Amino acid sequence: MYTYETLDIQSASELNETTLAGKTAKEVIRWAYATYGNDLVYACSLGAEGMVLLDLIAKEKSDANVIFLDTDFHFDETYELLNQVRTRFPSLNIQALKPALTPEEQADQHGERLWETHPDQCCAIRKLDPLEKGLKPYNAWMSGLRRAQGPTRAETPFVGRDERFQSVKICPLIHWTLDDVWAYIEVNNLPYNKLHDENYPSIGCTHCTAPVAPGEDERSGRWSQFGKTECGLHRA
Ligand code: SF4
């Protein structure tokens, strides 16, 4: 089993270009749990890809560990979906991680509307720090990134060394298109965030998510007013 310390560039290349080359998402997930078992956690954002991964994961390891970053700033529809997911996958070990600061404490210590004045700092407090803490007990984490989500994700491998969180990162859906994701949701009758039906292909915090126009990049509605494209969770 490779850890952050032992997964060097050559080992990662061998995994991606030999062991996992041409594998389906289901096969990558099977390999991931056979390799890491309870040492693997899925960080789920409850996006459309998240519904697919939760279903595939539950079929492979029904008591898998899942974390969701509850920034306190999600849409009501997202919290409603979290409840639906808990009902649909009762045996998954789903934990909602909260930031160290409440919204009020954040405003007191760092100023009102930090997401407008210093969005990177806001994401660090409400997403990165909680995820870093949440990943600590595990050797590997899983993410629903897809290469087609935009230029910042175009080179994502199945398995890589995550320098930011000092972990091994596994992304079984890299080769899926958005159509693949929605076809899977439909065929398996999975719950999903109702905002997706209102032109929100990518959904984060209320303050930083806007609907997108037809033909725009899937993630162009995220931080559209701040010139920011990623929260920092998926830096290469
Ligand atoms: S997405 Fe916006 S509101 Fe949410 S943590 Fe990041 S900056 Fe703050």
Side-chain angles (χ1 to χ4, degrees):
M1 176 181 83
Y2 288 111
T3 63
Y4 170 75
E5 286 75 23
T6 60
L7 184 69
D8 56 23
I9 293 175
Q10 197 179 336
S11 317
S13 298
E14 179 159 329
L15 278 176
N16 288 302
E17 288 160 27
T18 309
T19 311
L20 299 175
K23 298 286 189 217
T24 63
K26 192 174 169 179
E27 289 167 333
V28 174
I29 289 169
R30 179 158 297 164
W31 170 85
Y33 283 106
T35 306
Y36 291 98
N38 286 324
D39 237 347
L40 171 63
V41 63
Y42 169 39
C44 183
S45 68
L46 297 181
E49 293 78 8
M51 299 304 106
V52 172
L53 270 187
L54 285 170
D55 192 64
L56 288 169
I57 288 170
K59 285 170 178 162
E60 187 59 40
K61 183 169 168 54
S62 59
D63 63 345
N65 299 309
V66 179
I67 51 182
F68 167 69
L69 300 179
D70 181 0
T71 62
D72 294 310
F73 293 147
H74 287 294
F75 290 91
D76 289 345
E77 289 85 346
T78 305
Y79 290 112
E80 190 184 315
L81 179 60
L82 178 59
N83 289 334
Q84 289 177 286
V85 160
R86 289 190 192 282
T87 304
R88 174 74 182 242
F89 306 106
S91 60
L92 288 177
N93 176 29
I94 302 174
Q95 289 189 303
L97 304 183
K98 289 273 197 184
L101 301 180
T102 65
E104 295 74 24
E105 288 167 340
Q106 176 170 304
D108 283 348
Q109 293 178 28
H110 301 285
E112 296 286 343
R113 307 184 74 80
L114 191 62
W115 51 90
E116 284 181 6
T117 57
H118 298 89
D120 286 344
Q121 190 184 4
C122 186
C123 275
I125 293 168
R126 313 208 75 76
K127 291 182 168 184
L128 274 70
D129 292 350
L131 183 61
E132 187 167 24
K133 204 168 153 198
L135 297 184
K136 273 248 156 54
Y138 303 96
N139 266 315
W141 69 294
M142 196 181 282
S143 165
L145 295 188
R146 291 183 299 104
R147 289 176 172 172
Q149 281 170 319
T152 56
R153 301 182 174 188
E155 305 290 332
T156 308
F158 276 138
V159 182
R161 210 173 119 95
D162 184 332
E163 303 297 346
R164 171 63 182 82
F165 296 109
Q166 304 207 339
S167 183
V168 173
K169 186 171 172 184
I170 302 168
C171 304
L173 296 183
I174 52 171
H175 50 312
W176 283 42
T177 64
L178 190 57
D179 284 349
D180 293 332
V181 170
W182 282 104
Y184 188 96
I185 288 173
E186 199 175 324
V187 166
N188 292 280
N189 194 25
L190 296 176
Y192 63 88
N193 196 318
K194 294 304 166 209
L195 288 173
H196 289 311
D197 293 334
E198 296 173 31
N199 296 321
Y200 288 81
S202 178
I203 301 164
C205 297
T206 53
H207 306 304
C208 304
T209 306
V212 307
E216 280 188 326
D217 183 283
E218 281 176 46
R219 289 180 56 80
S220 62
R222 304 288 296 279
W223 304 282
S224 49
Q225 67 277 49
F226 305 130
K228 174 174 156 80
T229 55
E230 295 278 0
C231 51
L233 301 183
H234 301 297
R235 224 167 34 202

